[in-house]
Amino acid sequence: MNISEVSTASGLPAKTIRYYEDIGLIRPARSANGYRAFSDQDAHKLAFLSRARSLGFSIEDCRTLLALWEDRSRASGDVRKLAKDHLDEIDRKLAELHQMRDSLAHLVKCCAGDDRPDCPIIDRLAKD
Amino acid sequence: MNISEVSTASGLPAKTIRYYEDIGLIRPARSANGYRAFSDQDAHKLAFLSRARSLGFSIEDCRTLLALWEDRSRASGDVRKLAKDHLDEIDRKLAELHQMRDSLAHLVKCCAGDDRPDCPIIDRLAKD
DNA sequence: TATAGGGCTTCCCACCGCTGGAAGGTCAAG
DNA sequence: CTTGACCTTCCAGCGGTGGGAAGCCCTATA
């Protein structure tokens, strides 16, 4: 398989796939002409990576997850811990974003949004 | 005021303040010794920036907000639009994060997290 | 067989918003 | 006179791509 094929199959841009090789997440073979030659296993890995990334795992987490995937004697506890830590991090970000959203929504609601200069949003930022 | 003083006052790291000068958000004067000499107005601007950033506005949005703040003939509608667009963006991110969180929470809940290798998290990522 | 087009390669730069560190000038206290 | 805290500039790097240049390779058509 050439890169465009695994790209379509995995949903990852070719650029991203080359980057993943650069940082050692995958090691596709090379054809005689220098083109990357992806095996089915490479394609599976890329699909795995694509799904892990879409769940928000960092590249380093993905590296660990790949290793755990390939380790048949893994402990599911290790996977769970990684996922739980990530979940906690997401919850932290969610709380932060919610906080932002509520403040902002309140300000937007209070602002007349007309031609006059008076603006509670600016006032809040300036806090004068 | 030297940089450490406005840093403490605004809650922004000195590095960040220098960066803000670099990109033209503030233009503090200079003392004879080459040190930045911040006026009260500079300090106000930095506090404004700090609050705007903590509401998640991008640097470019902050630049616009600063200009609107200083424009006494501004239309509050312009401020409101900026804030509303940002709010919509936050809502988009919140939805995306919620989606991640729910998928991940489900998987974490389903995983035994013990010494055995069977793991629904890995299974989902591998989708074999 | 020549040529046109697409796909592939490597390489380097840009993005955002800082952050760290090195190398060196300045200032106030002891 | 030295120490140490503060300030300066500059350069590099983070994550995770994306854009684009320069150049090779492959296939199809004229």
Side-chain angles (χ1 to χ4, degrees):
Chain A
M1 265 187 277
N2 278 350
I3 200 166
S4 64
E5 199 174 343
V6 278
S7 169
T8 307
S10 64
L12 294 170
K15 280 264 182 188
T16 298
I17 295 173
R18 291 192 194 101
Y19 172 67
Y20 287 175
E21 181 185 11
D22 251 26
I23 62 171
L25 282 182
I26 47 163
R27 305 183 188 281
R30 295 289 176 140
S31 304
N33 60 12
Y35 287 16
R36 287 169 184 81
F38 295 87
S39 67
D40 284 354
Q41 201 192 356
D42 291 328
H44 267 112
K45 272 198 192 182
L46 288 170
F48 182 102
L49 288 168
S50 180
R51 286 187 283 262
R53 290 290 294 139
S54 74
L55 282 177
F57 285 104
S58 72
I59 295 281
E60 282 321 296
D61 280 353
C62 287
R63 197 187 298 276
T64 307
L65 285 168
L66 266 185
L68 286 166
W69 180 32
E70 292 177 326
D71 176 7
R72 303 205 159 213
S73 69
R74 67 175 167 262
S76 67
D78 291 344
V79 184
R80 210 191 104 103
K81 176 171 188 338
L82 194 67
K84 184 58 168 53
D85 287 353
H86 179 43
L87 179 56
D88 291 346
E89 183 63 20
I90 287 182
D91 279 337
R92 217 190 40 72
K93 278 188 197 157
L94 269 177
E96 194 184 333
L97 265 189
H98 260 299
Q99 167 75 28
M100 272 185 199
R101 202 208 85 95
D102 290 348
S103 304
L104 208 49
H106 174 70
L107 291 172
V108 166
K109 205 174 120 193
C110 291
C111 177
D114 54 21
D115 290 343
R116 291 170 300 170
D118 299 320
C119 177
I121 303 170
I122 290 285
D123 288 351
R124 161 70 70 86
L125 293 173
K127 247 186 194 164
D128 41 14
Chain B
M1 261 186 280
N2 278 351
I3 200 165
S4 65
E5 198 175 343
V6 277
S7 169
T8 308
S10 65
L12 294 169
K15 279 268 184 191
T16 299
I17 295 172
R18 290 192 195 101
Y19 172 67
Y20 286 176
E21 181 185 11
D22 252 25
I23 62 173
L25 283 182
I26 47 162
R27 302 182 189 285
R30 294 291 177 139
S31 305
N33 59 13
Y35 288 14
R36 287 170 185 81
F38 295 87
S39 65
D40 284 356
Q41 202 191 354
D42 291 327
H44 267 113
K45 271 198 193 183
L46 288 170
F48 182 102
L49 287 168
S50 180
R51 285 187 284 261
R53 289 291 296 138
S54 76
L55 282 177
F57 285 104
S58 72
I59 293 282
E60 283 319 299
D61 281 352
C62 287
R63 195 187 298 277
T64 307
L65 285 168
L66 266 185
L68 286 166
W69 179 33
E70 292 178 325
D71 176 6
R72 303 204 159 214
S73 69
R74 70 177 164 259
S76 67
D78 291 344
V79 183
R80 209 191 105 103
K81 179 175 187 331
L82 194 67
K84 183 59 167 54
D85 287 352
H86 179 43
L87 179 56
D88 290 347
E89 184 62 19
I90 287 180
D91 279 337
R92 219 190 40 70
K93 278 188 198 156
L94 267 177
E96 195 184 332
L97 265 190
H98 259 299
Q99 167 74 30
M100 272 186 198
R101 200 206 86 95
D102 290 348
S103 303
L104 207 50
H106 174 70
L107 291 172
V108 166
K109 206 174 120 193
C110 291
C111 177
D114 54 21
D115 289 344
R116 290 169 301 168
D118 299 319
C119 176
I121 303 171
I122 289 286
D123 288 351
R124 162 70 71 86
L125 292 173
K127 245 186 194 161
D128 42 16

